[in-house]
């Protein structure tokens, strides 16, 4: 008798499932992908940051504080941003090589990727961030009382504008494009997979920001939940990438303007957060609502024009 043909392997992507739960892979593959991404990101930041710190010590002769509280210089920011930016292609390669997920389907599911969508969300979120931060400054003018435009500040702003978008986009590719669906692949019921993937990836995202302040840790986790919801609602990464990029760029530019000659104090210790962060949490929730409204109107327009058929 001729050998019986083996059944074909199921595809790595299930287009009928929501984004974040759309990937099929063997149970062991997330146990490789997720730790490799997290450890490599930490190792890269430590190595690159240490090299830059040693160079700055040799050039300036200034010793960093023993408690590790040295402010973030422009070159340290450049090193941090680029070391994180590298994680985007790494995440894509791991998902393609180990997870067998085509790169294009790591960015969207059930539709085409859209530069127009990315641009629209970037504009909308920029207006939202500027309005919210404008209100915060109006309530507390001391936030901008020490604004200066020294050479260090200008350099820090330039590095922020050029490299922070790469850093923020890479985090979305890594956490929402790779880690979230990798976690979701462990669970077959679609709704449960989405919930577990969203919560799990958001907790990892929050913990990786290395803050033990309850307010800051909660904010980072909720930020991950909000960008994850954007990805699920829009079935892709354009909205979360746009929001993360705009948020990080605006906040870092504001921090640079109020910095000490282009050196930003990054302090995530206990006591640095507080109830004022409820404003930014509310802003994140408004951003999710805007994505939901836009995607709802977009789907309604597609159905009306006959581009898409209404689902049962």
């Amino acid at each position: 008798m001729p050998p019986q043909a083996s059944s074909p392997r199921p595809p790595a992507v299930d287009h009928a499932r929501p984004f974040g739960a759309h990937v099929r892979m063997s149970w062991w593959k997330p146990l490789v992908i997720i730790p490799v991404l997290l450890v490599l990101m930490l190792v890269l930041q430590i190595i690159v940051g240490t090299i830059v710190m040693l160079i700055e010590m040799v050039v300036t002769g200034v010793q960093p504080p023993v408690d590790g509280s040295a402010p973030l210089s422009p070159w340290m920011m450049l090193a941090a941003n680029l070391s994180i930016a590298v994680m985007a292609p790494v995440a894509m390669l791991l998902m393609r090589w180990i997870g067998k997920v085509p790169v294009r389907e790591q960015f969207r599911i059930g539709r085409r990727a859209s530069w127009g969508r990315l641009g629209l969300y970037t504009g909308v979120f920029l207006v939202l961030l500027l309005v919210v931060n404008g209100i915060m400054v109006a309530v507390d003018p001391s936030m901008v009382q020490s604004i200066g435009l020294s050479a260090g500040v200008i350099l820090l702003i330039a590095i922020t504008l050029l490299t922070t978008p790469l850093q923020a986009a890479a985090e979305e590719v890594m956490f929402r494009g790779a880690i979230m669906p990798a976690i979701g692949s462990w669970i077959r019921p679609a709704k449960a997979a989405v919930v577990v993937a969203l919560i799990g990836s958001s907790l990892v995202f929050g913990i990786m920001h290395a803050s033990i302040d309850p307010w800051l840790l909660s904010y980072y986790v909720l930020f991950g939940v909000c960008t994850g919801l954007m990805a699920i609602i829009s079935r892709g990464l354009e909205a979360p990438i746009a929001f993360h990029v705009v948020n990080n760029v605006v906040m870092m530019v504001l921090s640079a303007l109020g910095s000490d000659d282009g050196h930003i104090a990054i302090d995530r210790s206990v006591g640095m957060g507080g109830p004022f962060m409820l404003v930014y949490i509310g802003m994140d929730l408004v951003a999710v609502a805007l994505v939901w409204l836009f995607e709802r109107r977009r789907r309604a327009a597609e159905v009306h024009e006959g581009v898409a058929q209404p689902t049962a």
Side-chain angles (χ1 to χ4, degrees), residues 12 19 36 58 70 80 83 112-113 162 166-167 169 213 232 246 253 256 265 270:
F19 189 90
V36 167
V58 171
S83 64
R112 293 183 178 180
L162 291 173
L166 301 176
Q167 168 263 325
D213 179 83
I232 294 166
V246 171
V253 167
V270 175

Side-chain angles (χ1 to χ4, degrees), residues 22-43:
H22 61 291
V23 170
R24 295 174 177 266
M25 63 175 75
S26 301
W27 65 269
W28 60 269
K29 292 183 177 182
L31 297 178
V32 175
I33 293 172
I34 296 173
V36 167
L37 288 175
L38 299 179
V39 171
L40 183 58
M41 184 174 73
L42 287 174
V43 170

Side-chain angles (χ1 to χ4, degrees), residues 264-300:
I264 300 176
I266 302 294
D267 190 351
R268 294 171 177 168
S269 60
V270 175
M272 296 310 298
F276 69 91
M277 301 194 70
L278 291 172
V279 174
Y280 294 106
I281 291 173
M283 177 187 71
D284 296 352
L285 294 174
V286 169
V288 174
L290 291 173
V291 173
W292 180 78
L293 288 172
F294 172 77
E295 295 297 332
R296 183 183 180 188
R297 291 188 62 182
R298 190 182 187 100
R299 284 191 292 269

Side-chain angles (χ1 to χ4, degrees), residues 222-245:
L222 288 172
F223 186 94
V225 169
C226 288
T227 53
L229 285 172
M230 292 178 195
I232 294 166
I233 293 168
S234 64
R235 298 178 67 82
L237 295 182
E238 297 97 334
I241 286 175
F243 184 70
H244 203 148
V245 166

Side-chain angles (χ1 to χ4, degrees), residues 70-281:
L72 187 68
S73 69
W75 304 117
M76 286 295 291
M77 172 176 280
L78 177 64
N81 283 350
L82 293 182
S83 64
I84 294 175
V86 171
M87 297 308 302
V90 171
M92 289 186 286
L93 286 172
L94 285 175
M95 289 293 285
R96 183 67 186 93
W97 177 44
I98 298 177
K100 307 302 181 184
V101 181
V103 171
R104 62 181 179 277
E105 292 181 325
Q106 298 174 31
F107 286 85
R108 89 293 182 275
I109 189 72
R111 62 171 179 80
R112 293 183 178 180
S114 171
W115 288 105
R117 208 187 219 104
L118 180 65
L120 175 64
Y121 279 129
T122 299
V124 170
F125 293 147
L126 179 59
V127 172
L128 175 64
L129 266 290
L130 292 177
V131 168
V132 170
N133 283 281
I135 294 173
M136 294 290 285
V137 170
V139 172
D140 183 12
S142 65
M143 295 175 62
V144 294
Q145 65 183 7
S146 60
I147 283 182
L149 284 177
S150 64
V153 170
I154 293 174
L155 177 60
L156 188 59
I157 291 175
I159 289 174
T160 296
L161 295 176
L162 291 173
T163 64
T164 296
L166 301 176
Q167 168 263 325
E171 288 191 2
E172 289 307 310
V173 172
M174 176 177 165
F175 285 96
R176 260 58 71 178
I179 292 178
M180 187 166 75
I183 293 174
S185 70
W186 277 322
I187 302 173
R188 291 318 304 155
K191 292 183 179 179
V194 168
V195 172
V196 172
L198 177 63
I199 295 174
S201 60
S202 300
L203 287 172
V204 174
F205 178 78
I207 292 170
M208 290 297 290
H209 281 76
S211 175
I212 57 175
D213 179 83
W215 282 98
L216 287 174
L217 178 59
S218 299
Y219 174 75
Y220 291 131
V221 173
L222 288 172
F223 186 94
V225 169
C226 288
T227 53
L229 285 172
M230 292 178 195
I232 294 166
I233 293 168
S234 64
R235 298 178 67 82
L237 295 182
E238 297 97 334
I241 286 175
F243 184 70
H244 203 148
V245 166
V246 171
N247 178 81
N248 285 19
V249 168
V250 170
M251 299 308 293
M252 292 306 298
V253 167
L254 292 176
S255 297
L257 289 172
S259 65
D260 181 14
D261 195 26
H263 288 68
I264 300 176
I266 302 294
D267 190 351
R268 294 171 177 168
S269 60
V270 175
M272 296 310 298
F276 69 91
M277 301 194 70
L278 291 172
V279 174
Y280 294 106
I281 291 173

Side-chain angles (χ1 to χ4, degrees), residues 38-52:
L38 299 179
V39 171
L40 183 58
M41 184 174 73
L42 287 174
V43 170
L44 281 176
Q45 290 186 78
I46 292 172
I47 292 175
V48 176
T50 301
I51 292 173
V52 173

